[in-house]
Amino acid sequence: QVQLVETGGRLVQTGGSLRLSCAAPGRTFSDYAMGWFRQVPGKEREFVARISWTGTSTDVSDAVQGRFSISRSNALNTVYLQMNRLKPEDTAVYYCAVARQYSELRNKGAIEYWGQGTQVTVSS
């Protein structure tokens, strides 16, 4: 069983910043793309960001373009989501995701492993 451990979620004020981390203790995800989704109650889980296994390709959703960025450290088996200029509509549970193909990572059906989620709350 692969375990993905997300950390960094908390309450923050509008305009603030957070960095989420997702680690895979004892597991190497070389050759895998990694990314982040988020979900609010009553809504579908939505894509936020993805990064290729080399880190040379990245992509974020239109909703967070210009404010969020994704990075990874394969040496540490960790992917990060840097979130700046946070808005109340960014409030959600954020999930780390792993998929074989970068090109497929926007598709929830292609996700092989999910983290347990970390709550981000942005107060207005």
Side-chain angles (χ1 to χ4, degrees), residues 38 63-64 67-68 85-92 94 120 122:
R38 66 186 183 185
V64 306
R67 300 187 297 120
F68 291 14
R85 303 200 304 278
L86 282 159
K87 305 175 181 180
E89 51 264 44
D90 295 319
T91 295
Y94 283 72
V120 172
V122 184

Side-chain angles (χ1 to χ4, degrees), residues 64-75:
V64 306
Q65 181 71 46
R67 300 187 297 120
F68 291 14
S69 61
I70 186 170
S71 61
R72 69 188 289 170
S73 167
N74 288 337

Side-chain angles (χ1 to χ4, degrees), residues 67-122:
R67 300 187 297 120
F68 291 14
S69 61
I70 186 170
S71 61
R72 69 188 289 170
S73 167
N74 288 337
L76 297 177
N77 299 325
T78 302
V79 63
Y80 306 97
L81 183 68
Q82 179 65 44
M83 306 187 292
N84 299 326
R85 303 200 304 278
L86 282 159
K87 305 175 181 180
E89 51 264 44
D90 295 319
T91 295
V93 178
Y94 283 72
Y95 295 91
C96 179
V98 175
R100 286 275 182 181
Q101 300 293 332
Y102 172 79
S103 59
E104 297 175 350
L105 202 138
R106 279 180 171 256
N107 176 11
K108 292 190 295 294
I111 303 304
E112 291 201 20
Y113 306 105
W114 291 101
Q116 82 287 352
T118 186
Q119 177 70 48
V120 172
T121 303
V122 184

Side-chain angles (χ1 to χ4, degrees), residues 36-39 44-48 61 63 89 108:
W36 293 90
F37 285 71
R38 66 186 183 185
Q39 189 170 22
E44 294 269 334
R45 191 171 296 189
E46 67 172 9
F47 167 78
V48 176
S61 69
E89 51 264 44
K108 292 190 295 294

